[in-house]
Amino acid sequence: MDKYTPIANLLRNLSKTLLKPPIVLLISGSFNPVHIKHFQILKTATQAIKEDYEVIACYISPFSQKHVDKTYKQGTIPLQQRIDMIKIAIKEFSEESSNESSSWIDMIDISEWDANLEDDIDCHLLIKTFSEFLNNNNQIKTLLSEKNLNKLKIAYICGSDLITKDKKEKIKNLEDLEDITIIICERYLEEKDKDWEGQCKELGKLYTEKWIENNIILIKQDTENTSNQDKNNIKISSTKIINSLIQNENNWEEMTFLGVTKYIKDKKILKS
């Protein structure tokens, strides 16, 4: 994984004076293509844990081409183009947040380990491998030791649609993730799933109520703390962008970043 996961930004941020325990965010997905909701979820997740942790790095992990080809029956975008667009989105998002109190500049990186695997893997294995890679790195271990910390905390972020649409597949092998925080943001494409919280909480039925309390954070998108922009953008999805591109519509442009829009047009993505 060291070949595909840069740690320079993480080391630099970990070496700073921290007032709270450090935590690293991990978000995975097809990113076919990346859109603004992916980054709004990052901001929302950070807000949910800011009282207890200080985010020192965030990794975006795109799924392999095999996974994307299997998931999307039409409209698949090649891996390198998906990665190119993620890099564009990271730069644009970071520049937009440069004046905010919690800047994302030098915070977000891409981990291409999963993307370069020939076989499709479950999310639990990605998370476990990612955590082991960081916590076994000698440079990270040295900095943690200097701060009297034994382990670098990892938080995996996903939308509730990943849990609710294939619940049985997603709940297996949780015993591998005992030290991982799972942040599940409410997510739906058409109709709101009234029982999404209950379905997500079934993740803990294999274990105990304490496991749920300590490891799973559920974030609603209709609370007073949710911005109007986040509420309006909850239904944004890569699938909607793909369908609009295939049907030669223009309404997809507002779902992603300006640089990504330009890239899609310049590369004539999904144009015959």
Side-chain angles (χ1 to χ4, degrees):
M1 182 175 275
D2 56 344
K3 178 182 177 182
Y4 298 111
T5 307
I7 62 171
N9 286 332
L10 186 156
L11 291 172
R12 180 168 51 253
N13 292 327
L14 182 57
S15 65
K16 297 176 181 178
T17 300
L18 303 175
L19 301 179
K20 302 170 186 175
I23 193 168
V24 174
L25 307 182
L26 173 66
I27 182 170
S28 63
S30 297
F31 301 102
N32 185 67
V34 66
H35 51 71
I36 58 177
K37 189 61 187 176
H38 290 130
F39 288 83
Q40 288 175 350
I41 287 176
L42 288 182
K43 294 176 71 173
T44 302
T46 300
Q47 285 293 111
I49 60 175
K50 69 177 184 178
E51 296 298 323
D52 299 313
Y53 298 99
E54 186 165 344
V55 176
I56 61 167
C58 173
Y59 287 88
I60 296 176
S61 177
F63 290 151
S64 68
Q65 197 62 39
K66 182 176 181 179
H67 178 96
V68 173
D69 290 342
K70 183 174 63 175
T71 302
Y72 291 82
K73 303 307 178 185
Q74 59 178 345
T76 59
I77 300 174
L79 173 60
Q80 190 55 56
Q81 290 187 336
R82 288 189 286 127
I83 290 175
D84 288 345
M85 287 187 280
I86 293 172
K87 291 179 179 178
I88 292 170
I90 289 174
K91 184 175 185 297
E92 196 167 324
F93 175 75
S94 298
E95 289 174 349
E96 290 175 356
S97 69
S98 60
N99 294 324
E100 298 179 7
S101 56
S102 55
S103 174
W104 287 92
I105 292 179
D106 297 329
M107 190 78 75
I108 310 178
D109 280 304
I110 302 177
S111 174
E112 299 181 29
W113 177 75
D114 188 0
N116 283 278
L117 293 178
E118 292 185 4
D119 295 325
D120 193 14
I121 65 169
D122 295 325
C123 285
H124 86 276
L125 182 57
L126 165 65
I127 302 166
K128 181 182 179 183
T129 305
F130 178 79
S131 177
E132 289 177 347
F133 163 70
L134 293 185
N135 280 293
N136 288 329
N137 179 276
N138 289 330
Q139 291 175 283
I140 294 175
K141 288 165 65 174
T142 297
L143 288 174
L144 289 174
S145 178
E146 292 174 357
K147 297 179 182 297
N148 295 318
L149 296 172
N150 295 322
K151 195 170 184 179
L152 188 58
K153 184 75 173 178
I154 309 297
Y156 179 69
I157 306 169
C158 66
S160 60
D161 55 314
L162 289 181
I163 306 298
T164 57
K165 72 181 180 181
D166 195 7
K167 183 175 53 182
K168 291 181 180 179
E169 180 70 16
K170 300 302 178 185
I171 64 174
K172 69 179 184 179
N173 297 314
L174 284 181
E175 65 271 16
D176 292 339
L177 307 179
E178 291 179 351
D179 297 324
I180 307 296
T181 293
I182 302 176
I183 303 175
I184 307 174
C185 298
E186 182 182 12
R187 185 107 166 84
Y188 53 88
L189 300 184
E190 297 302 334
E191 297 298 324
K192 181 182 177 70
D193 188 335
K194 295 181 179 179
D195 189 42
W196 76 274
E197 291 178 271
Q199 293 183 59
C200 290
K201 286 181 179 179
E202 287 194 22
L203 286 167
K205 282 190 175 180
L206 298 177
Y207 304 97
T208 64
E209 287 298 319
K210 184 177 180 181
W211 192 93
I212 298 176
E213 294 173 2
N214 292 344
N215 294 69
I216 299 179
I217 299 174
L218 301 180
I219 301 177
K220 299 179 182 180
Q221 291 294 308
D222 56 359
T223 63
E224 295 180 356
N225 295 325
T226 305
S227 69
N228 289 330
Q229 183 183 28
D230 283 355
K231 291 176 185 177
N232 293 335
N233 291 337
I234 191 172
K235 296 182 180 181
I236 288 176
S237 73
S238 297
T239 300
K240 287 190 174 183
I241 295 176
I242 289 296
N243 290 339
S244 295
L245 283 168
I246 292 174
Q247 296 167 17
N248 201 28
E249 299 173 343
N250 293 323
N251 59 341
W252 62 271
E253 296 181 19
E254 62 187 21
M255 299 186 199
T256 190
F257 297 87
L258 292 176
V260 174
T261 298
K262 184 178 185 303
Y263 184 94
I264 290 174
K265 291 181 176 179
D266 289 348
K267 297 292 184 181
K268 295 182 172 55
I269 292 178
L270 298 184
K271 296 294 183 182
S272 56

